Every structure is written in C-alpha cells, then in structure tokens.
Amino acid sequence: ASPELLKISKQIKSKERESDKIFLQELEFFRTKGFLTDSFESIRNGRRVLTVLSEHKRKVGGIIHDESATGKSMFIEPEKLMSINIEINNLYADRKAEIYKIIRDLCIVIRPYSEQLLTAQEILTTLDVLRAKAKYAYEIKGKRPKIQKKSCLRIKVGYNPVLYVKNRNAGIPIIPFDLVLHNNNRILILSGPNAGGKSVVLKSVGLLQLL
C-alpha cells in the first residue's frame, strides 16, 4: 500500500529469518550440552523459547518466560536473541503505525463522498437482504402468506424449514402437516407417542410465523 510499508515488511522478514537462524544455533548448542528437555523448544508470550531442564536454568543465559506445571522445565529466550527480537517488535510497531497512516490518508480522500457511500451501502444492504430472502424462499419452496386482520392461522402442507433442508440434502423424506386455528379456537392439544413429532410441529408453527 506504500513504499514505506513494503520496506518495513521486508525488514521484518529479514530479521525473522535471522532470528530463526540464531535460535536454531542456540538450540543445537544447548541440546548437545544436555541442558534441554526432549521437546527442545516451545512458544511463550509469542516468542520461541528453549525448554530447559530446571537444574540447568542458570547455565542458559536469557529471559525466563515461564515454567512447566511440574516445575521441571523452564522456558527461556536465549540471550543472543533478545536484541534482535526487540528490533522485530519495534518493526511491527512501525508497520502498525504505517498502516494507520495509510488508513488515515485514505479516509481523508473518501471523506467528501461519505454521504454517497453510506447511501450506496444502505441500497446494497437492502438488495442483498431481499436477494437472500428470495433465494431461501426458493430453496424451501416457500409460499407468500396471506395476512388477515381477523384471528386466523391456517398452515397447509407445512414443513419445518430447517428440517426440510437438512432431510432433503440427506435424502430423507419429511412428513408435512396441516394446522387450522380460527375464531374461538384458543387451545391446541397435541398428543401422541414419544418422538412422534409434537415438538417439531410446535417449533415449525413458530418458525413459519416468524418467516
């Protein structure tokens, strides 16, 4: 996005390669000395660290980042890595500052068009939502409901929309239901054996009402 950002990114890659090289040299040196555990290395606080046997911790110069739950291992960042890792951290801070600068400059450019961009976003959002609804309605073979002012609920050949898509994809048949409530119907009793579909019907009615 900018020459400065490219420069910083290249410096980070270069320093990280140098850090990896030094770390592997330190790991091999202390491994041959028998100071490390079988796992040799780990990650602590975002840093590569040596997994050092506790009895040898004073023989490995560096920063102790952590210790194992048993206390038998110490996680140490080798001393030779400390300065270069500080440089890497500074470079990451420089990269973050440069990214903020690029974003700030970009905002200055587009600020005069903010109202048009917001309007375009609202239009695109509306169209996207309508398109998603239409695609989903087509997928579940949905029908446009007839809304009435009087108290009336009539579901004909109703499916649970979630179950319909799931079973259709799995090739499992799904049994539809009809349900009519109107005028003075205030109570609905569903009876039947366990796993007979009572809960599915109730959930389906709620979902279809919401949809």
Side-chain angles (χ1 to χ4, degrees):
S2 75
E4 182 64 20
L5 185 60
L6 178 61
K7 176 185 174 183
I8 294 170
S9 296
K10 286 182 176 179
Q11 288 176 332
I12 288 173
K13 288 181 180 179
S14 176
K15 290 294 181 182
E16 285 181 338
R17 283 195 298 267
E18 186 180 346
S19 175
D20 289 340
K21 182 180 178 181
I22 295 172
F23 181 86
L24 291 174
Q25 289 173 347
E26 291 292 278
L27 185 149
E28 184 62 22
F29 176 77
F30 289 115
R31 186 187 67 81
T32 56
K33 293 282 187 180
F35 294 168
L36 307 182
T37 66
D38 292 339
S39 59
F40 299 149
E41 66 172 289
S42 184
I43 300 290
R44 288 294 185 277
N45 301 323
R47 302 284 185 91
R48 287 182 76 181
V49 292
L50 299 173
T51 309
V52 182
L53 293 166
S54 293
E55 58 266 29
H56 299 302
K57 66 180 181 180
R58 299 192 185 281
K59 300 173 185 175
V60 180
I63 298 175
I64 297 175
H65 281 270
D66 198 2
E67 65 177 312
S68 65
T70 60
K72 294 181 179 180
S73 303
M74 309 297 291
F75 302 100
I76 301 177
E77 179 184 358
E79 188 174 8
K80 289 185 178 180
L81 280 174
M82 290 166 56
S83 61
I84 191 169
N85 282 339
I86 289 172
E87 288 184 56
I88 291 171
N89 283 343
N90 289 338
L91 284 169
Y92 271 107
D94 291 343
R95 187 174 76 166
K96 185 177 181 180
E98 179 63 16
I99 289 171
Y100 280 142
K101 178 178 177 294
I102 292 167
I103 293 173
R104 186 174 62 250
D105 292 345
L106 181 61
C107 287
I108 292 172
V109 172
I110 67 173
R111 186 171 291 116
Y113 312 102
S114 59
E115 289 187 11
Q116 295 96 314
L117 288 170
L118 286 172
T119 301
Q121 182 188 31
E122 290 172 1
I123 293 171
L124 289 172
T125 301
T126 301
L127 291 174
D128 192 44
V129 170
L130 289 172
R131 181 172 180 272
K133 287 180 178 180
K135 285 184 68 178
Y136 183 66
Y138 182 79
E139 184 181 3
I140 64 172
K141 297 182 180 178
K143 302 295 182 182
R144 185 181 181 89
K146 294 180 180 178
I147 309 298
Q148 300 184 33
K149 292 184 179 180
K150 60 183 179 180
S151 299
C152 178
L153 174 65
R154 182 186 297 273
I155 298 174
K156 187 176 180 181
V157 192
Y159 293 95
N160 181 294
V162 178
L163 193 62
Y164 176 81
V165 174
K166 180 180 177 182
N167 283 13
R168 184 196 61 187
N169 294 338
I172 301 172
I174 179 170
I175 308 301
F177 68 94
D178 296 337
L179 177 64
V180 178
L181 288 172
H182 56 80
N183 296 332
N184 295 324
N185 297 147
R186 309 301 297 174
I187 297 174
L188 173 67
I189 298 176
L190 288 178
S191 64
N194 290 337
K198 299 185 296 296
S199 296
V200 173
V201 169
L202 288 175
K203 290 178 180 178
S204 302
V205 171
L207 275 174
L208 293 174
Q209 282 291 94
L210 288 171
L211 289 171

